[in-house]
Amino acid sequence: MELTLVSLVPPGSGPGNVPETGSGSGPADDGRLLRLLWGAARPGERLEHISMRSGPHGVDLGLFTVATPGTSAAEAALAICRRVLALPSPFHGWHLTTGSTSPARPGAIPATTT
């Protein structure tokens, strides 16, 4: 099992720029996002756990997946997130970022959720 860190950021969000409410750019609904992530995961992607922390600039996620032949754990995690962002939902149009810095919550460490 491997951890992939991802941030989901609403359009127009960034440090000093709190997104406006409405049109899917308001604060994240953590419960809904968790349901969408679990629903978007395919059995072959072997999603095992999700950690989440939301803030005024988006959501930081830690997705724990297992590599399978032909697909790395990170590729599976990113594919799940991309499918969620493509769905008609409040998160449609948000941006996915990866890396050691978080545009969603600068300096934040994701809290574990079940």
Side-chain angles (χ1 to χ4, degrees), residues 1-2 38 41 45-50 63-67 80 113:
M1 180 169 52
E2 293 180 38
W38 283 110
E45 290 166 328
R46 306 213 27 220
L47 177 61
E48 296 196 1
H49 183 75
I50 302 170
L63 291 97
F64 294 84
T65 51
V66 177
I80 293 165
T113 61

Side-chain angles (χ1 to χ4, degrees), residues 17-34:
N17 183 16
V18 178
E20 297 176 17
T21 57
S23 303
S25 62
D29 177 341
D30 292 354
R32 185 166 191 184
L33 180 55
L34 280 173

Side-chain angles (χ1 to χ4, degrees), residues 51-110:
S51 294
M52 172 186 296
R53 179 166 292 172
S54 59
H57 301 293
V59 180
D60 292 326
L61 298 170
L63 291 97
F64 294 84
T65 51
V66 177
T68 59
T71 304
S72 73
E75 289 170 333
L78 294 174
I80 293 165
C81 291
R82 286 187 185 107
R83 280 195 293 279
V84 167
L85 297 181
L87 294 171
S89 78
F91 303 97
H92 182 79
W94 284 41
H95 307 281
L96 181 141
T97 63
T98 61
S100 59
T101 59
S102 168
R105 290 178 48 93
I109 299 172

